[in-house]
Amino acid sequence: MLYVLLAAALLLPRLPALDSFVTADEPYWLSMGANFYYALGQHEFQNTIYEYQPAVTTMWLATGAMLDYFPEYRGLGQGYLEFEKGMLDPFLLDHDRDPLVLLRDTRVIQVFLIVALMLIVFYLLQRLIGKAAALFAVLLTSFDPFFLGQSRLLDHEAMLALFGLIAVLAFFIYLFQGRAIGSLLLSAVAAGLAQLTKSSGIALLVPIGVLLLLYAFQDRRAGASLSAALFGAAKMFGIWLAVLAVTYVVFWPGMWVAPGKMLHEVYGNAFSYAFQGARLVALDEGQSPPLGLETNLGGMTQMLYGLLWRTTPLTWMGVLLALALTVTRDRELVPTTTRWLGLSLLTLAAAFILMFGLARGRNSPHYILSAYVALGLLAGMGWYLTLGWLAKRIPALRSGRTQMFVLFIALALQARSAFAYYPYFFTYQNPVLSRLDPQEFPPFAYGEGLELSAFHLAALPDAQDLTAVVYYSRGSFSYFFPGHTERFKPYYVDAGHEQDLLDAISNADYLVIYYAIQGRAEKYDRMLSALADVEPEYEVWLNGYKYVIVYRIDSFPPDVIPAMLK
């Protein structure tokens, strides 16, 4: 019954309004999933590949939705539709299928998978810290606004975070709770699925390595020789790595027929991005800087700053309390294994922050979602253990009902922080920092808000005959607008492309500016300056920030377009 209630608590905030908005990358993953499904249908397994990240788990989810919504897609002979050119959407519409419905169905499948993974996390965690503490920690993490928002989207980050967390927890249980082989296998399989989700799953080697060192240290203190302790750790790591590799092969059809191609494309492009900020194709064209991983303290600072802005004060305080309790002398309250568990979670978070803080050009905040989840669990442990510490000193807190009430209030406050930003959730901003300096919020504009401008234009009497040129046009806007949508390409404002900009504007009825991004990029200053005195037809504001501006082009004064082209 406890698992049923927990599943319901995890599902309820994630299922509503899954078709109410679309983020920037999701249409691309639908397209890649459709190509993956088509490759399976044609038994052309060598084509089940994306590029610098496997995204295999994501594409399996899209395949599941295709099987339910458009199973005949695999046999229509259309081939592999170019995902960057948005060819899937018109193809679906031509066959009386709505891409928004396909996205919604894929999101639903992913939500159920996310909930299943979180139930596994609870099962593992309760073996380490008890049911009550584990339940509180999982729920506190579940209601983290940024994680909650990301877990409703079709992308890789939430799955990667939970696969990685399961890998670390199960390995911890294997090492320090009886060496049951099932825990080792679960850890390795989860790590393999993390790698199949995103190549950055390689960061899991850091917390796994730390756990092996802790085990070897413990073995050495128990009387084993140094060589024996290190050999035992190496043996366990070898078994774990072998099972990970088997998992990687079993769940990726491309590895069955062309393993060399798969690994070269994924890890070649991944390391190329990390070291040079570009894919291998850019290297072949001579467009990338010289090889070398540069110290990127600015990137690290940006990652940490963004994490502080997007986590709640409850999470902040919980992490600090957990760190403070690691030095307490109360071994009954905080046993050694609990301290090591906290260290493992902290190491997991640090591994992803370091990886993306140092990598060149990969600084989106959702890339370190694993850190949000690990710190969320650590915060839950911190609050729960602190309440136990206080109960020893304050008689009023010794009652079980009182403690349950305090924990419930904490969960309610965490949930309120998230629900205030419904339906996106990931647009949350920490109220402490926003009051200190409201202009410094590091934006993570991901297409949210564009659907509201699409709804506005869709309500016009002649909407189906209108053309809108839109930044982040595909999905975020086009899925909600019955007229014709043209993409505003970033190079339109570059020198030498004035004619492209003129053609785009001249052939459209509306110009939709995604101000949340374009307003912060210097390259758009000339265009936005030219539009400064034009009265917008409609604007979208979210959380006190201007996100979208809609202009009717035939309302432009005569000097506006020439000023945009200068």
Side-chain angles (χ1 to χ4, degrees):
M1 179 59 71
L2 177 60
Y3 283 88
V4 173
L5 293 174
L6 177 57
L10 298 174
L11 279 171
L12 284 175
R14 287 173 167 81
L15 283 177
L18 286 177
D19 58 355
S20 64
F21 68 98
V22 178
T23 56
D25 290 335
E26 290 179 291
Y28 295 93
W29 293 118
L30 276 187
S31 294
M32 291 308 303
N35 282 344
F36 186 91
Y37 174 60
Y38 187 84
L40 294 178
Q42 306 303 311
H43 292 180
E44 296 173 350
F45 301 139
Q46 70 277 9
N47 292 326
T48 58
I49 188 169
Y50 167 56
E51 199 173 60
Y52 66 93
Q53 49 193 346
V56 171
T57 52
T58 306
M59 292 190 285
W60 273 116
L61 296 177
T63 292
M66 291 291 287
L67 281 168
D68 178 64
Y69 186 59
F70 195 12
E72 59 271 26
Y73 180 89
R74 65 181 180 268
L76 296 177
Q78 72 280 2
Y80 300 97
L81 303 181
E82 293 187 59
F83 70 96
E84 290 183 341
K85 295 185 177 180
M87 296 177 64
L88 176 65
D89 300 344
F91 184 86
L92 291 174
L93 294 171
D94 288 344
H95 290 79
D96 298 321
R97 297 293 191 278
D98 187 345
L100 182 59
V101 173
L102 179 62
L103 175 61
R104 180 204 64 195
D105 291 352
T106 311
R107 282 177 167 181
V108 168
I109 295 172
Q110 179 169 276
V111 162
F112 276 94
L113 175 61
I114 293 296
V115 169
L117 294 177
M118 294 191 73
L119 292 177
I120 295 174
V121 168
F122 168 69
Y123 168 75
L124 297 172
L125 193 61
Q126 59 90 24
R127 291 182 59 180
L128 296 169
I129 61 175
K131 283 187 179 180
L135 181 64
F136 175 75
V138 167
L139 287 173
L140 190 77
T141 304
S142 171
F143 294 138
D144 173 86
F146 196 65
F147 173 59
L148 177 56
Q150 289 292 316
S151 67
R152 287 161 42 86
L153 305 181
L154 175 61
D155 66 10
H156 332 295
E157 314 306 332
M159 285 189 294
L160 172 63
L162 293 174
F163 283 133
L165 189 59
I166 290 169
V168 172
L169 293 177
F171 200 72
F172 192 99
I173 289 172
Y174 171 73
L175 292 177
F176 303 113
Q177 284 195 354
R179 303 275 296 278
I181 192 65
S183 297
L184 179 64
L185 295 178
L186 175 60
S187 172
V189 169
L193 292 172
Q195 279 294 117
L196 285 173
T197 301
K198 201 169 182 181
S199 53
S200 58
I202 197 170
L204 289 175
L205 293 177
V206 177
I208 294 297
V210 168
L211 286 175
L212 285 169
L213 290 175
L214 287 173
Y215 180 81
F217 170 75
Q218 185 185 62
D219 210 20
R220 182 80 176 88
R221 292 189 64 181
S225 66
L226 178 61
S227 59
L230 292 177
F231 178 77
K235 181 181 177 181
M236 287 184 285
F237 180 70
I239 296 171
W240 182 85
L241 199 60
V243 176
L244 184 158
V246 171
T247 302
Y248 199 85
V249 173
V250 167
F251 286 95
W252 190 359
M255 290 292 293
W256 307 346
V257 295
K261 174 187 175 182
M262 303 296 115
L263 295 175
H264 175 264
E265 286 288 321
V266 168
Y267 291 102
N269 279 301
F271 284 114
S272 175
Y273 249 128
F275 285 101
Q276 296 186 308
R279 293 181 173 92
L280 286 173
V281 65
L283 302 186
D284 295 338
E285 296 170 358
Q287 297 176 352
S288 62
L291 182 65
L293 183 60
E294 300 172 359
T295 301
N296 186 9
L297 295 179
M300 188 73 64
T301 302
Q302 184 181 13
M303 280 289 179
L304 291 172
Y305 191 52
L307 187 147
L308 288 175
W309 267 96
R310 292 180 174 86
T311 46
T312 66
L314 272 170
T315 301
W316 283 8
M317 288 299 301
V319 170
L320 292 175
L321 290 170
L323 295 177
L325 286 169
T326 59
V327 298
T328 180
R329 296 181 179 180
D330 190 341
R331 298 287 173 174
E332 182 181 352
L333 177 67
V334 190
T336 299
T337 53
T338 301
R339 298 167 196 262
W340 287 359
L341 175 61
L343 174 62
S344 301
L345 294 173
L346 196 61
T347 304
L348 176 61
F352 279 88
I353 293 170
L354 283 169
M355 171 178 284
F356 287 106
L358 294 175
R360 295 167 61 177
R362 314 303 295 166
N363 58 0
S364 294
H366 61 297
Y367 292 158
I368 61 166
L369 191 65
S370 295
Y372 286 81
V373 174
L375 293 176
L377 285 187
L378 186 61
M381 291 170 55
W383 279 111
Y384 190 89
L385 292 172
T386 299
L387 185 60
W389 181 84
L390 290 173
K392 291 183 175 182
R393 292 155 177 81
I394 303 175
L397 291 176
R398 291 174 187 169
S399 165
R401 289 185 178 182
T402 302
Q403 293 182 25
M404 287 179 60
F405 177 75
V406 172
L407 295 175
F408 176 80
I409 293 299
L411 291 177
L413 290 173
Q414 183 85 327
R416 183 180 180 277
S417 297
F419 295 153
Y421 292 81
Y422 176 87
Y424 314 113
F425 299 123
F426 57 78
T427 58
Y428 170 84
Q429 52 186 291
N430 186 288
V432 175
L433 290 179
S434 64
R435 288 176 183 174
L436 290 174
D437 195 344
Q439 300 305 314
E440 285 301 314
F441 178 60
F444 176 56
Y446 207 25
E448 69 277 6
L450 279 169
E451 80 283 355
L452 300 177
S453 63
F455 291 148
H456 170 78
L457 295 181
L460 299 177
D462 56 346
Q464 68 279 2
D465 299 320
L466 297 175
T467 296
V469 58
V470 188
Y471 190 93
Y472 275 177
S473 59
R474 185 180 174 196
S476 301
F477 184 91
S478 63
Y479 287 4
F480 305 95
F481 179 57
H484 182 65
T485 303
E486 285 289 341
R487 180 188 172 205
F488 187 106
K489 299 175 182 178
Y491 71 77
Y492 284 169
V493 296
D494 294 341
H497 291 279
E498 291 80 7
Q499 188 61 46
D500 294 319
L501 177 58
L502 179 61
D503 291 343
I505 293 175
S506 299
N507 295 321
D509 300 292
Y510 285 90
L511 173 63
V512 180
I513 300 293
Y514 197 46
Y515 191 80
I517 288 181
Q518 291 174 287
R520 292 177 174 268
E522 186 178 343
K523 66 183 296 180
Y524 297 103
D525 286 351
R526 181 184 63 191
M527 182 184 71
L528 295 176
S529 295
L531 293 168
D533 294 327
V534 179
E535 183 69 23
E537 177 167 314
Y538 185 72
E539 291 183 342
V540 175
W541 290 70
L542 297 174
N543 313 321
Y545 293 88
K546 186 189 297 185
Y547 266 71
V548 186
I549 311 173
V550 179
Y551 295 100
R552 186 174 181 90
I553 294 173
D554 65 12
S555 71
F556 287 178
D559 61 333
V560 169
I561 293 179
M564 293 171 63
L565 301 174
K566 287 181 180 178

